[in-house]
Amino acid sequence: MSTMLHLLPTAAYTSQEWFDREMRDIFSKTWRYAGFMEDVSEPGQYISVQAGLNNIFIVMGRDRRLRAFHNICRHRGTQLIRAVGKTQKALTCPYHDWTYDLEGNLISVPEEHEEFGKVDKACHGLKPASVDIWKSMIFVHPDPEAGPITDWFGPTEEHIGPHVPEELIEYEEGRNSYEIKANWKIVVENYIDVYHLSHLHSGTLQMYDHKSAEYHWQGDHYMFWEPPVPAYAENQDAKLTAPRVIPEGQNGAWVPMLWPGIGIGSAEDGWNIFIIEPLGPSLTRVHNRSRVANASDWAFSKQAMKSASFWNNFGLSGKYEAGDASSEDDPMAGGDFTAEDIYACEQQQASLQSPYFETGPAAQGESPVIEHQKRVLKWLGET
């Protein structure tokens, strides 16, 4: 077995120069998650998202068609709209009140004759971007000629699970966002690191058989599936905490990471997204949203009661016992695998500042990390 070594220098995780290149050459040239399809479901509704160097908004027109535009007024470049909202008929720049219709056409210039003589409105419409829907999610691409999103995600379809998110409904309590004091690549690499599952999450994710995980790459996208352990697999429908969302017999956890930072975490009773938003060389925001079965509150309560006895005996716990906790909110003792991941990512980022930092060999279970680093280098033109 040959020894694998990490490929990226420390500067790739700490320097502004690397971060700026990634924003330009990776996040400005790929599809970016913007929201769920129901977020923009009526004429006049809109949302905006940062796609690398580009702020883009999606709006539903009066014809109920989704359109995406660069959020830049054609007069002086001021951003037209805020993150999310509704409008009746038009989009107005807050700076000088230049106004555009929902199809991106410039329709009004205040004091046009006195200030400009005449403005050729046909030449000053909003600059378009691409928008498409995939797996209930709205995506944008800064390039208006990006082509269909199925060309980008299509090869992953048979590897990301049997879930049909369009038939599920959002679980509002599962919607949250938080910041991690670490580079976005550390967050991705933690997500795809198979080696850490049996160790960092020994007390929180033991319902799945990490040693039997199957993983590979489809182009630039990472695919992952692992089966439940026998104790969880047997008579599983009595152990699920929520109603089943996939056919019986199709059990396991599908946890792909789609390039460059779109995680999907799905299992027998739910479908979740984990969206990575780089904020700076050592700061990342993560957005989580979940979809569950379109079932009654009673169905959820009944399933929770049915599974309670199993989980009370099976148990979930932190990596460290309460007696070893550093405080009441110690992330390594609380039994929350997300808190464990955040802790590990932030501790790794903190160590990068030391002149004594260097990486050791990569385990076989860390081979996805090495493959991810290869893709970063490829997109930056380093290979």
Side-chain angles (χ1 to χ4, degrees), residues 353-371:
Q353 306 302 320
S354 171
Y356 292 92
F357 174 83
E358 60 179 315
T359 56
Q364 287 301 307
E366 293 173 300
S367 60
V369 174
I370 306 304
E371 290 298 320

Side-chain angles (χ1 to χ4, degrees), residues 55-59 66-72 80 91 101-105 125-131 140:
N55 192 270
I56 296 172
F57 72 88
I58 306 100
V59 62
L66 289 180
R67 294 177 176 85
F69 299 100
H70 288 266
N71 193 9
I72 301 172
L80 288 166
L91 303 163
D101 65 19
L102 302 183
E103 289 72 48
N105 303 301
L126 298 176
K127 292 189 175 181
S130 292
V131 60
V140 296

Side-chain angles (χ1 to χ4, degrees), residues 96-117:
H96 299 99
D97 288 336
W98 281 38
T99 301
Y100 306 81
D101 65 19
L102 302 183
E103 289 72 48
N105 303 301
L106 178 62
I107 57 174
S108 174
V109 176
E111 303 172 85
E112 178 181 354
H113 179 72
E114 299 89 336
E115 295 289 343
F116 301 96

Side-chain angles (χ1 to χ4, degrees), residues 233-348:
E234 184 180 1
N235 190 26
Q236 192 186 52
D237 279 9
K239 301 169 183 176
L240 300 177
T241 58
R244 176 178 282 275
V245 297
I246 57 176
E248 290 187 40
Q250 292 184 298
N251 298 332
W254 288 261
V255 193
M257 173 58 71
L258 310 180
W259 182 264
I262 305 153
I264 298 176
S266 53
E268 300 89 349
D269 54 3
W271 184 90
N272 312 282
I273 58 171
F274 180 91
I275 306 300
I276 293 172
E277 179 186 4
L279 299 179
S282 58
L283 187 62
T284 302
R285 181 179 291 122
V286 171
H287 303 272
N288 292 304
R289 296 179 76 173
S290 302
R291 298 180 87 87
V292 294
N294 189 359
S296 67
D297 290 344
W298 168 238
F300 278 87
S301 297
K302 185 168 61 174
Q303 187 65 41
M305 290 186 289
K306 185 192 302 184
S307 64
S309 60
F310 168 76
W311 290 104
N312 287 338
N313 294 322
F314 188 69
L316 295 177
S317 62
K319 183 175 178 65
Y320 301 134
E321 298 295 334
D324 294 326
S326 60
S327 65
E328 290 185 1
D329 57 353
D330 187 339
M332 298 298 283
D336 181 344
F337 74 87
T338 298
E340 293 171 341
D341 281 330
I342 293 172
Y343 177 84
C345 289
E346 292 188 341
Q347 294 303 307
Q348 184 179 351

Side-chain angles (χ1 to χ4, degrees), residues 4-189:
M4 293 184 294
L5 299 175
H6 292 269
L7 304 176
L8 295 179
T10 301
Y13 301 88
T14 61
S15 83
Q16 188 67 44
E17 180 186 0
W18 268 86
F19 182 82
D20 291 344
R21 291 173 64 196
E22 291 165 348
M23 292 303 99
R24 182 191 68 209
D25 295 332
I26 297 177
F27 287 90
S28 294
K29 297 180 180 179
T30 49
W31 286 95
R32 171 71 176 158
Y33 161 86
F36 281 162
M37 56 189 184
E38 57 264 36
D39 293 339
V40 189
S41 58
E42 297 295 333
Q45 287 186 337
Y46 61 82
I47 53 176
S48 68
V49 65
Q50 194 69 28
L53 303 178
N54 311 278
N55 192 270
I56 296 172
F57 72 88
I58 306 100
V59 62
M60 178 171 281
R62 289 163 293 184
D63 56 2
R64 305 192 70 84
R65 176 184 167 189
L66 289 180
R67 294 177 176 85
F69 299 100
H70 288 266
N71 193 9
I72 301 172
C73 180
R74 293 300 308 280
H75 177 217
R76 294 277 296 280
T78 302
Q79 290 191 355
L80 288 166
I81 62 173
R82 303 181 187 186
V84 62
K86 298 180 180 180
T87 184
Q88 291 292 320
K89 299 178 181 179
L91 303 163
T92 300
C93 175
Y95 200 1
H96 299 99
D97 288 336
W98 281 38
T99 301
Y100 306 81
D101 65 19
L102 302 183
E103 289 72 48
N105 303 301
L106 178 62
I107 57 174
S108 174
V109 176
E111 303 172 85
E112 178 181 354
H113 179 72
E114 299 89 336
E115 295 289 343
F116 301 96
K118 181 174 177 55
V119 175
D120 187 346
K121 296 184 183 66
C123 294
H124 290 84
L126 298 176
K127 292 189 175 181
S130 292
V131 60
D132 213 338
I133 294 178
W134 182 75
K135 296 292 183 183
S136 79
M137 297 177 283
I138 301 173
F139 284 86
V140 296
H141 196 296
D143 184 353
E145 304 297 329
I149 200 169
T150 51
D151 290 349
W152 180 241
F153 289 134
T156 72
E157 290 272 1
E158 62 182 288
H159 305 286
I160 61 174
H163 305 73
V164 184
E166 298 89 337
E167 297 177 358
L168 307 178
I169 60 173
E170 181 161 14
Y171 175 58
E172 291 292 344
E173 292 181 22
R175 183 172 185 172
N176 62 75
S177 63
Y178 49 86
E179 292 183 357
I180 302 177
K181 296 174 184 176
N183 185 270
W184 73 273
K185 296 185 294 300
I186 285 181
V187 179
V188 170
E189 290 172 2

